[in-house]
Amino acid sequence: MAADPISILMIDDDPEDAFLMKRALARLDAKAQFNHESDGAAFVRGLSDPNIKLRSIADVFVLDINMPRINGFDILQRMAERSDFADIKVIVFSTSETAEDRSRALHLGASRFFSKPTSSAALTEFARYITKAPF
């Protein structure tokens, strides 16, 4: 019996980054359900409903840090306030390369921190990682 496809939600204000991620997943022929939320504030509003479980939203969250209105750190903080956050996989995927941002994201509960790659080959490898990694 085939495993269910992994569900990925990318929270990133840049639609081009989401398009490139979706294309990288398609190149891999990854069995993945990909969704994109471009507004961190809209995502946080959805978190206010305690009846919606994070696991039902996605298996893996790919989160940008640098977004307007509500940034990725704020989203991580809001997710961490939920009782169902403990086993959620959040990969921060940011243009930031600073040790401070990496440390802060991991401290707030991110599973991993990656700087956005500059080549399509590196993005494809990242896509392969998020679909295969046991975390």
Side-chain angles (χ1 to χ4, degrees):
M1 178 179 274
D4 289 336
I6 188 169
S7 173
I8 301 165
L9 175 61
M10 184 174 196
I11 306 166
D12 192 318
D13 63 313
D14 188 338
E16 184 175 344
D17 284 347
F19 170 78
L20 293 172
M21 176 66 73
K22 187 173 185 175
R23 192 170 77 180
L25 290 164
R27 264 196 307 271
L28 290 172
D29 196 25
K31 303 299 182 229
Q33 177 187 359
F34 179 81
N35 292 298
H36 173 234
E37 173 60 65
S38 62
D39 183 3
F43 177 75
V44 166
R45 277 193 303 278
L47 290 178
S48 66
D49 183 344
N51 296 316
I52 297 176
K53 301 297 179 202
L54 289 171
R55 177 66 65 204
S56 71
I57 297 172
D59 298 314
V60 177
F61 294 82
V62 177
L63 177 63
D64 187 19
I65 292 294
N66 300 311
M67 294 186 290
R69 298 188 337 138
I70 293 184
N71 67 40
F73 295 124
D74 294 333
I75 292 171
L76 275 170
Q77 181 65 48
R78 301 280 177 85
M79 290 175 82
E81 293 169 356
R82 294 183 50 122
S83 62
D84 60 338
F85 179 68
D87 65 340
I88 298 301
K89 309 304 182 225
V90 179
I91 300 173
V92 170
F93 190 59
S94 178
T95 56
S96 174
E97 295 182 359
T98 70
E100 294 157 271
D101 284 349
R102 177 182 304 275
S103 177
R104 183 175 178 198
L106 295 173
H107 176 75
L108 288 170
S111 305
R112 301 280 189 272
F113 185 105
F114 288 91
S115 294
K116 290 182 178 178
T118 56
S119 74
S120 64
L123 181 59
T124 300
E125 284 308 306
F126 174 76
R128 183 183 323 281
Y129 172 79
I130 64 174
T131 60
K132 303 289 184 193
F135 298 95

